[in-house]
Amino acid sequence: MLHFIFFLFTFPLTKAVNNTAKPNCPTQCGNITALYPFGIGTDCSLNDSFNLTCNTSSEPPTLLLGDSNIRVYNISELEVRISTIVSYSSYNQNGYVNGLSLSWTDIRWLEGITFSKKNMFTVIGSQCSGIGCCQISIPKGLQFYNSTLDSLNNHSDVWRFNECSYAFLVEEGSFEFGGVNDLSTKYLDFVDRIESAMPVVLDWVIAPNKTCTDEVHDCKGNSSCYDVEGGGYRCNCNKGYDGNPYLDQGCQG
Ligand SMILES: *[C@@H]1O[C@H](CO)[C@@H](O)[C@H](O)[C@H]1NC(C)=O
Ligand SMILES: *[C@@H]1O[C@H](CO)[C@@H](O)[C@H](O)[C@H]1NC(C)=O
Ligand SMILES: *[C@@H]1O[C@H](CO)[C@@H](O)[C@H](O)[C@H]1NC(C)=O
Ligand SMILES: *[C@@H]1O[C@H](CO)[C@@H](O)[C@H](O)[C@H]1NC(C)=O
Ligand SMILES: *[C@@H]1O[C@H](CO)[C@@H](O)[C@H](O)[C@H]1NC(C)=O
Ligand SMILES: *[C@@H]1O[C@H](CO)[C@@H](O)[C@H](O)[C@H]1NC(C)=O
Ligand SMILES: *[C@@H]1O[C@H](CO)[C@@H](O)[C@H](O)[C@H]1NC(C)=O
Ligand SMILES: *[C@@H]1O[C@H](CO)[C@@H](O)[C@H](O)[C@H]1NC(C)=O
Ligand SMILES: *[C@@H]1O[C@H](CO)[C@@H](O)[C@H](O)[C@H]1NC(C)=O
Ligand SMILES: *[C@@H]1O[C@H](CO)[C@@H](O)[C@H](O)[C@H]1NC(C)=O
């Protein structure tokens, strides 16, 4: 009985240090695991779309997409969670803008990586009549957005309780609107709360223009290929095998 329990506890531990990154490549950046086909450094990713950089100058180290300044929070077999960026415009009592930042996120340089339908484009401020916050879903396959904010009457009608408007993309459920509390928070504090922790979800596939029936695909031994709706494919270890299907000897029985 004791022996059996020991076995259950050791199995996931050996799996965690094995088959995550390519041999001789870093598996971690701080506490974040770089799961192949993603990889940190030269020849550690499947190709340029899966390049990562570990910024060891920051404390703790931060993982970045390619050579961009987009932070990576974590990577799974289907998804990548990255940092978001908030657009905002803030007005003073007389209707003059005293804080403005309009932003975009562009991942068109990444082949096969798109914003997930799990994200909501979130707008806070007077334009959202009534409740003060609205969320809309985004189209499938999106790789770029650019937000602008306009105010009717430069916020003069609503200034007393709402000095600022915000717009950002965020994983559904990770942001809960705090009503008047949020609207009365200093705008840079509010922006920091969102940008320091709340994720945007990306979906990833291998080779968006290929299917499993193409002669060459990247599913290694003991694994099989499956086509992904919207283009591209992914690999799964076969039944009874476990590990990373994109690595040589990655799926073990
Ligand atoms: C993974 O671990 C198993 C058992 O611990 C070992 O036999 C295998 O060679 C390892 N595979 C890789 C790619 O390191
Ligand atoms: C890494 O550590 C930070 C706190 O230091 C924590 O918030 C985060 O969830 C951890 N990430 C992972 C992938 O464990
Ligand atoms: C990805 O990393 C390789 C080196 O492994 C480098 O040659 C290439 O320029 C990088 N691509 C991007 C988009 O950062
Ligand atoms: C790396 O981290 C340092 C320290 O936080 C920061 O100054 C620098 O801008 C970061 N580099 C990138 C590419 O984000
Ligand atoms: C991935 O990161 C996001 C943002 O930090 C966090 O909400 C989520 O719990 C993390 N997921 C895992 C599996 O670590
Ligand atoms: C986003 O839109 C602004 C104008 O609202 C423009 O200045 C900026 O160049 C756009 N960004 C990109 C990447 O197209
Ligand atoms: C605010 O909006 C009103 C009406 O649109 C306009 O007349 C006024 O000049 C604006 N004030 C500023 C500071 O832009
Ligand atoms: C990335 O790798 C896949 C699979 O090998 C390939 O089909 C695709 O064209 C590659 N993309 C780039 C940008 O090299
Ligand atoms: C994949 O298809 C898109 C759209 O048809 C095209 O723009 C892109 O160049 C193709 N990429 C490759 C590697 O063939
Ligand atoms: C397939 O799985 C078996 C059993 O774990 C292992 O010995 C073998 O190396 C694997 N083959 C490949 C090509 O990964």
Side-chain angles (χ1 to χ4, degrees), residues 18-39:
N18 192 346
N19 296 339
T20 55
K22 222 169 146 176
N24 305 317
C25 288
T27 54
Q28 303 270 126
C29 174
N31 62 354
I32 308 167
T33 302
L35 182 69
Y36 192 82
F38 291 86

Side-chain angles (χ1 to χ4, degrees), residues 14 18-19 248-250 252:
T14 54
N18 192 346
N19 296 339
D248 287 322
Q249 316 290 313
Q252 297 286 322

Side-chain angles (χ1 to χ4, degrees), residues 220-223 240-241 247-253:
K220 296 292 161 62
N222 298 328
S223 83
Y241 295 84
L247 289 170
D248 287 322
Q249 316 290 313
C251 294
Q252 297 286 322

